[in-house]
Structure formats: structure tokens, C-alpha cells
């Protein structure tokens, strides 16, 4: 295999690895967006619960049935849900930072391989 062929194979391999990383990043961003939307919804629910009187009736839908729930318990459950989702968002943010770093490295490797191949082609 000639040096040019070897470089082309290497370039294709690096470019594919870059595409895979970009695809993973897209999935993470989509998931993060969905989770952020859930946080916003739960924060709105919490705001509504905070507006209620202490004696107000609160119901939770479980399947097709509405079950009466204590207001304090409802607030606690919503707060826990918000905490959990925010933890997941933080975890995704860390993964995204790691992938961004890998993506930059792969992008540099692809550009380096392209320059080598281009100089070989021009030198021929």
C-alpha cells in the first residue's frame, strides 16, 4: 500500500470517528433539552403548589385514577424530581464537555491528515 493510500485510509477512519462523536453529541444535546424542559415544567408545578392554601386538596394521577395527596408530600415529590433531573443535566453536561474535547482532537487529526494528503498530491 502506498503512502497516499495509507493516508486516505487513515483520513477516512479519522473522519468516521469524528462523525460518530458528533452524532453522540447531538443525542446528548437532544436529551439535555428534553430534561431542561422537564425541569421547567416541574418548576411551574411547584409554583402552583406554593400558591395553594395549606388545606387545599391536591390530586395525583396514577394511571386512569386521581389519588388524593398531601400538599407537603406533593411539594416534596416535585422538589425531589427537580433535583434528580438537574443531577442528570449536570451528568450530561460533563459528558458533553468530554465529547467536545474528543471532537476537537479528532477534528485536528482529520485536518492534519488532509494537509498531509494534499501535500502528497501536490508533490506528485
Amino acid at each position: 500500500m502506498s503512502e497516499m493510500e495509507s493516508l486516505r485510509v487513515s483520513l477516512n477512519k479519522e473522519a468516521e470517528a469524528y462523525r460518530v462523536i458528533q452524532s453522540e453529541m447531538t443525542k446528548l444535546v437532544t436529551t439535555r433539552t428534553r430534561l431542561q424542559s422537564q425541569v421547567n415544567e416541574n418548576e411551574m408545578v411547584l409554583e402552583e403548589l406554593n400558591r395553594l392554601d395549606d388545606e387545599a386538596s391536591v390530586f395525583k394521577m396514577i394511571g386512569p385514577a386521581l389519588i388524593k395527596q398531601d400538599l407537603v408530600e406533593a411539594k416534596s415529590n416535585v422538589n425531589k424530581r427537580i433535583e434528580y433531573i438537574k443531577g442528570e443535566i449536570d451528568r450530561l453536561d460533563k459528558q458533553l464537555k468530554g465529547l467536545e474535547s474528543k471532537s476537537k482532537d479528532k477534528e485536528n487529526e482529520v485536518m492534519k491528515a488532509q494537509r498531509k494528503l494534499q501535500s502528497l498530491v501536490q508533490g506528485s
Side-chain angles (χ1 to χ4, degrees):
M1 184 184 301
S2 72
E3 185 179 0
M4 192 176 296
E5 289 173 19
S6 175
L7 272 174
R8 281 192 178 130
V9 168
S10 174
L11 176 61
N12 287 337
K13 188 173 108 179
E14 296 298 334
E16 181 57 30
Y18 179 74
R19 281 190 287 277
V20 168
I21 291 170
Q22 291 297 308
S23 174
E24 288 176 30
M25 285 176 64
T26 300
K27 288 177 188 174
L28 288 178
V29 167
T30 301
T31 301
R32 189 193 187 291
T33 302
R34 182 178 48 78
L35 289 173
Q36 187 60 52
S37 177
Q38 288 177 0
V39 166
N40 293 341
E41 289 171 9
N42 280 285
E43 285 175 343
M44 287 190 312
V45 168
L46 190 59
E47 282 178 32
E48 292 299 320
L49 290 174
N50 286 332
R51 290 182 184 161
L52 297 175
D53 294 335
D54 290 340
E55 283 82 43
S57 295
V58 178
F59 295 88
K60 179 178 183 176
M61 184 175 278
I62 299 178
L66 287 175
I67 308 298
K68 192 168 184 170
Q69 191 176 27
D70 181 52
L71 180 59
V72 174
E73 182 183 352
K75 287 180 184 180
S76 174
N77 288 342
V78 173
N79 275 321
K80 286 177 188 172
R81 197 174 310 126
I82 290 170
E83 243 179 73
Y84 174 78
I85 296 169
K86 284 183 176 181
E88 287 298 299
I89 289 173
D90 289 343
R91 186 182 61 79
L92 287 176
D93 285 344
K94 288 176 187 169
Q95 283 183 315
L96 273 169
K97 282 185 182 179
L99 283 177
E100 285 172 1
S101 175
K102 283 183 184 179
S103 175
K104 286 179 184 175
D105 291 345
K106 282 295 171 196
E107 186 178 0
N108 288 336
E109 290 175 29
V110 167
M111 288 173 28
K112 185 177 173 183
Q114 284 176 331
R115 283 193 298 271
K116 279 185 183 178
L117 188 61
Q118 192 174 29
S119 68
L120 265 177
V121 169
Q122 288 174 349
S124 301

